[in-house]
Each structure stands twice: as structure tokens, then as C-alpha cells.
């Protein structure tokens, strides 16, 4: 067992946090395993209760651990990571990680665009688009709540949009609507999940998430899709490589 160094400039809670994290990375504790309680950590590492509590809280906030009221603290599943360095498909990312992608269609309907969507898709205000709302899952676990808006000029048969439950959206656009998505522009910002969204994603209200906004383009640089996604912060991590 590693000991904490009280003479170090590194705070004790951070030292303890790194030890707990190392136990997880080394698979001493695996996903679903219950970790020692705050009281046990106090006894084991000779620290204050506040020190143990702070170390655990930090790991919970990072999504590495999760709490079950009245039961204890457990090791979370590893986050789904992917790079922002190039065009990507969420379904393909899941398959590469050995996970089964699944889309649950919540809504398909025709709506009039507001100013934000009209600007993104280069449409007139109140022009109609196809709105596709879906829950994107990994091994049946909800990960992303996503709303896509597609100009009607690209969707000659809206009834075929129901196929997106079995076929990735961009594959469907290419195969059924002769529209190829070749590039996209994305932006991200941190948010807290609201109650209605939390119910659909199976998490607590106020949990951290990322709001992802994407405009996808075809080979003519025409906007094909405007998409808003709420991505669970406890299950996903985005990164980029600087060369």
C-alpha cells in the first residue's frame, strides 16, 4: 500500500485521489466494484474525513466513480473516447470499441425553422425541415440525446427516415437520398442536464454534459444537416492531437 507524504507540496487529497485512480487503471478495482468507504480510507491512509471525501468527490465529478445512495461508491465504466482531429461517425466509433450502437427514434416530423436553424442551413425563416430526434445508445445504454434538422429538398421520401433506427443516418442519406455528407463543422460547450433530458438519458438532473452543435455539408458545401446533441459527460470524452 502506498503511503501519503505529508511533507509534499501536493495536497493530501490529491495524493489519495491519484492512488485511487491508479487502483482503477491497474484494474485492481474493475467497473462495478465497490471501493472502500470514506471511513475505511481514513483508517487506511491516516487522513482526515474531509481529505477522503474530497478525493472521492473529485473522482465522482470526473465520472471515474459513481455513488449509490445508502450503498456506497463504485467504479464507473470507462469513458468512450474519440478524437476531434477528423470527420467521424459515432456508430463506427462504438463498433471499433466493441460496443453495439443502437438508435431509438423518438420523433420524426416536419417543423418550421427558427432563426438559428435557418442561419445554419441557409434557409429562409419558417421554412420547413425534417426534424429527427433520437436517443443514441451503446450496448442499450443511452449516451446521446440528438436532434437533427434536414432540409426537405434532400429528403424526397420522409417515410424512409424511419430506417435510421437500423441504418446510420449518413449511410441512409447516401444510399436512399443520394446525398453524401463529406465534412462538418462542430462546436462544444459544457452544460448541466435538465430534468426532461435526464429522464431520457437515465442520469440525475444537473449531471455534467456537452452540448454539441454540428453543421454537416455535402460535396457542394451545401448544409445537409444541423444537429444539436446532448452528450453525457460521465460516459464520453473528446480529445485532439497537437502535432
Amino acid at each position: 500500500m502506498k503511503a501519503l507524504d505529508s511533507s509534499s507540496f501536493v495536497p493530501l487529497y490529491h495524493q489519495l485521489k491519484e492512488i485511487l485512480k491508479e487502483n482503477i487503471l491497474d484494474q485492481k478495482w474493475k467497473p462495478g466494484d465497490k471501493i472502500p468507504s470514506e471511513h475505511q480510507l481514513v483508517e487506511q491512509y491516516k487522513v482526515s474525513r474531509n481529505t477522503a471525501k474530497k478525493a472521492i468527490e473529485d473522482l465522482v465529478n470526473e465520472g471515474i466513480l459513481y455513488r449509490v445512495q445508502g450503498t456506497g461508491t463504485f467504479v464507473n465504466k470507462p469513458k468512450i473516447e474519440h478524437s476531434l482531429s477528423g470527420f467521424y461517425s459515432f456508430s463506427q466509433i462504438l463498433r471499433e470499441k466493441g460496443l453495439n450502437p443502437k438508435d431509438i427514434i423518438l420523433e420524426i416530423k416536419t417543423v418550421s425553422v427558427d432563426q438559428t436553424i435557418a442561419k445554419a442551413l441557409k434557409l429562409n425563416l419558417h421554412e420547413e425541415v425534417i426534424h429527427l430526434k433520437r436517443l443514441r445508445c451503446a450496448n442499450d445504454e443511452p449516451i446521446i440525446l440528438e436532434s437533427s434538422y434536414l432540409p426537405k429538398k434532400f429528403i424526397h421520401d420522409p417515410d424512409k427516415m424511419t430506417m435510421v433506427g437500423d441504418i446510420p443516418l449518413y449511410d441512409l442519406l447516401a444510399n436512399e437520398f443520394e446525398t453524401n455528407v463529406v465534412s462538418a463543422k462542430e462546436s462544444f460547450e459544457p452544460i448541466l442536464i435538465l430534468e426532461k433530458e435526464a429522464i431520457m438519458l437515465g442520469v440525475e438532473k444537473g449531471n455534467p454534459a456537452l452540448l454539441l452543435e454540428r453543421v454537416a455539408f455535402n460535396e457542394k458545401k451545401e448544409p445537409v444537416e444541423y444537429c444539436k446533441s446532448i452528450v453525457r459527460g460521465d460516459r464520453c470524452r473528446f480529445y485532439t492531437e497537437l502535432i
Side-chain angles (χ1 to χ4, degrees), residues 112-203:
S112 298
V113 299
D114 60 18
Q115 191 169 1
T116 298
I117 301 172
K119 183 178 179 181
L121 293 175
K122 298 182 180 178
L123 300 174
N124 296 320
L125 189 61
H126 304 311
E127 192 168 339
E128 290 187 338
V129 296
I130 303 299
H131 176 211
L132 168 65
K133 186 174 183 179
R134 53 187 171 153
L135 197 59
R136 313 203 66 184
C137 306
N139 288 350
D140 293 321
E141 179 186 16
I143 302 294
I144 300 174
L145 180 60
E146 189 167 279
S147 286
S148 294
Y149 301 87
L150 304 107
K152 293 183 73 175
K153 68 178 182 179
F154 297 114
I155 312 298
H156 55 75
D157 185 356
D159 290 341
K160 289 185 177 180
M161 292 301 296
T162 58
M163 297 168 64
V164 82
D166 302 308
I167 303 172
L169 176 59
Y170 292 168
D171 288 350
L172 182 66
L173 290 174
N175 298 334
E176 298 294 332
F177 300 105
E178 299 180 351
T179 299
N180 296 306
V181 174
V182 298
S183 63
K185 181 180 180 180
E186 290 186 334
S187 63
F188 300 81
E189 62 178 286
I191 61 169
L192 298 178
I193 298 178
L194 302 178
E195 185 172 3
K196 186 177 180 180
E197 300 157 351
I199 292 171
M200 287 186 279
L201 288 168
V203 298

Side-chain angles (χ1 to χ4, degrees), residues 1-233:
M1 183 188 77
K2 287 188 177 181
L4 303 185
D5 183 1
S6 58
S7 65
S8 172
F9 68 90
V10 179
L12 289 177
Y13 85 86
H14 190 80
Q15 294 183 47
L16 179 57
K17 171 185 168 182
E18 291 303 307
I19 289 173
L20 300 181
K21 189 185 294 187
E22 188 174 318
N23 285 339
I24 296 168
L25 293 175
D26 290 345
Q27 294 193 322
K28 179 180 178 181
W29 300 333
K30 297 180 180 179
D33 284 353
K34 183 178 179 180
I35 73 164
S37 66
E38 288 179 12
H39 178 73
Q40 290 173 316
L41 292 175
V42 167
E43 292 294 319
Q44 188 172 357
Y45 291 97
K46 309 303 179 187
V47 294
S48 70
R49 190 177 183 93
N50 283 340
T51 295
K53 182 178 180 180
K54 173 64 173 169
I56 291 174
E57 282 183 346
D58 275 14
L59 292 174
V60 169
N61 290 336
E62 291 175 18
I64 296 173
L65 299 176
Y66 67 95
R67 286 193 174 102
V68 177
Q69 188 68 32
T71 303
T73 305
F74 299 82
V75 179
N76 214 342
K77 298 175 185 176
K79 291 188 178 185
I80 300 167
E81 295 187 336
H82 66 88
S83 172
L84 298 176
S85 58
F87 191 63
Y88 64 89
S89 160
F90 181 69
S91 296
Q92 184 60 34
I93 288 167
L94 294 182
R95 291 191 185 96
E96 290 173 354
K97 296 182 181 298
L99 301 171
N100 181 40
K102 178 182 178 182
D103 286 354
I104 300 173
I105 297 176
L106 303 175
E107 192 173 66
I108 300 176
K109 65 179 182 179
T110 300
V111 299
S112 298
V113 299
D114 60 18
Q115 191 169 1
T116 298
I117 301 172
K119 183 178 179 181
L121 293 175
K122 298 182 180 178
L123 300 174
N124 296 320
L125 189 61
H126 304 311
E127 192 168 339
E128 290 187 338
V129 296
I130 303 299
H131 176 211
L132 168 65
K133 186 174 183 179
R134 53 187 171 153
L135 197 59
R136 313 203 66 184
C137 306
N139 288 350
D140 293 321
E141 179 186 16
I143 302 294
I144 300 174
L145 180 60
E146 189 167 279
S147 286
S148 294
Y149 301 87
L150 304 107
K152 293 183 73 175
K153 68 178 182 179
F154 297 114
I155 312 298
H156 55 75
D157 185 356
D159 290 341
K160 289 185 177 180
M161 292 301 296
T162 58
M163 297 168 64
V164 82
D166 302 308
I167 303 172
L169 176 59
Y170 292 168
D171 288 350
L172 182 66
L173 290 174
N175 298 334
E176 298 294 332
F177 300 105
E178 299 180 351
T179 299
N180 296 306
V181 174
V182 298
S183 63
K185 181 180 180 180
E186 290 186 334
S187 63
F188 300 81
E189 62 178 286
I191 61 169
L192 298 178
I193 298 178
L194 302 178
E195 185 172 3
K196 186 177 180 180
E197 300 157 351
I199 292 171
M200 287 186 279
L201 288 168
V203 298
E204 295 291 329
K205 174 186 174 183
N207 272 23
L210 279 176
L211 173 62
L212 183 157
E213 292 187 74
R214 167 187 282 209
V215 181
F217 303 90
N218 62 15
E219 55 270 272
K220 296 179 182 178
K221 302 297 182 183
E222 296 174 310
V224 172
E225 176 204 29
Y226 171 70
C227 179
K228 290 184 71 173
S229 302
I230 296 172
V231 184
R232 284 176 52 180

